[in-house]
Amino acid sequence: MPNDKDSCGSPPAMSSLPDGIAGDLVRLMPRDLVFIMRFMGESQFRLQSHFQDFIRAELAAGGVTTETHPMIHLFIENHAILLRDFVFSGVSLSRQFRVVEIERLIGDTTAMMRVDIWDQLKSHIETVEKQFRSQTGTLPELLSAFEKPPGPIPREKKMTGGSDGPNR
């Protein structure tokens, strides 16, 4: 998301940013962090298998089989995964828990979970910043598409309906 800081001068010293932003995010956790259920393992396999069987049967009812479409298994698998993910995402989004609720459920009266989350945020921020810095050698080529064009930008001519006089 672009912001007003994109055109400002130098950013603050980099060593303080991961600590600062991680702290900001932890302070926002009561409002912005939700824990979402996620189905894993055999549950994913079973629902995907169900949808593969369902899609296969529906296609066969319409005359589409592996005999008429030898590569149809790729379509079936891809669409079964999409349907599985749609179902699990819908269920997960309808069952969200706030950090206070999780702390109460696990008995975390010392906010250790928040400290752990802060530590993980800081570590991941530092990792991606380090990764970005390691790729700065390739940036000039990538950024050239965003450069200001040389010289003045030509103005577009207005459409007046032609030079023969009024439109008819």
Side-chain angles (χ1 to χ4, degrees):
M1 294 182 350
N3 62 40
D4 294 337
K5 294 179 184 177
D6 289 341
S7 59
C8 291
S10 353
M14 294 304 278
S15 62
S16 66
L17 285 181
D19 287 352
I21 189 64
D24 290 345
L25 295 175
V26 168
R27 279 187 290 283
L28 293 170
M29 278 180 16
R31 183 189 74 196
D32 293 350
L33 177 68
V34 293
F35 291 84
I36 299 176
M37 298 186 316
R38 181 171 181 181
F39 286 88
M40 305 285 290
E42 187 177 349
S43 295
Q44 287 190 0
F45 173 76
R46 283 185 177 217
L47 189 57
Q48 181 178 334
S49 295
H50 163 78
F51 282 128
Q52 285 174 316
D53 294 343
F54 168 78
I55 293 168
R56 193 176 296 109
E58 290 295 312
L59 291 174
V64 176
T65 66
T66 54
E67 292 173 359
T68 62
H69 296 74
M71 299 299 289
I72 198 65
H73 66 278
L74 297 172
F75 174 89
I76 292 170
E77 182 177 7
N78 284 338
H79 281 74
I81 291 169
L82 288 172
L83 296 177
R84 177 202 69 195
D85 290 349
F86 175 82
V87 168
F88 283 152
S89 293
V91 171
S92 294
L93 292 174
S94 69
R95 301 284 186 260
Q96 298 178 8
F97 300 95
R98 298 279 178 191
V99 68
V100 175
E101 296 166 316
I102 296 296
E103 287 172 333
R104 187 174 43 243
L105 285 170
I106 65 172
D108 184 8
T109 58
T110 61
M112 281 306 297
M113 183 172 65
R114 294 180 193 222
V115 173
D116 289 343
I117 291 171
W118 174 85
D119 191 45
Q120 292 246 334
L121 283 167
K122 180 179 173 284
S123 174
H124 281 78
I125 291 167
E126 289 170 342
T127 299
V128 298
E129 287 178 353
K130 181 180 177 183
Q131 179 65 25
F132 183 83
R133 282 188 200 105
S134 75
Q135 296 172 351
T136 56
T138 62
L139 284 179
E141 184 180 331
L142 294 171
L143 296 176
S144 65
F146 298 95
E147 289 177 353
K148 181 178 176 182
I153 299 174
R155 289 189 163 163
E156 293 183 29
K157 295 181 181 179
K158 290 185 179 180
M159 301 294 283
T160 60
S163 58
D164 295 30
N167 289 340
R168 295 179 195 219

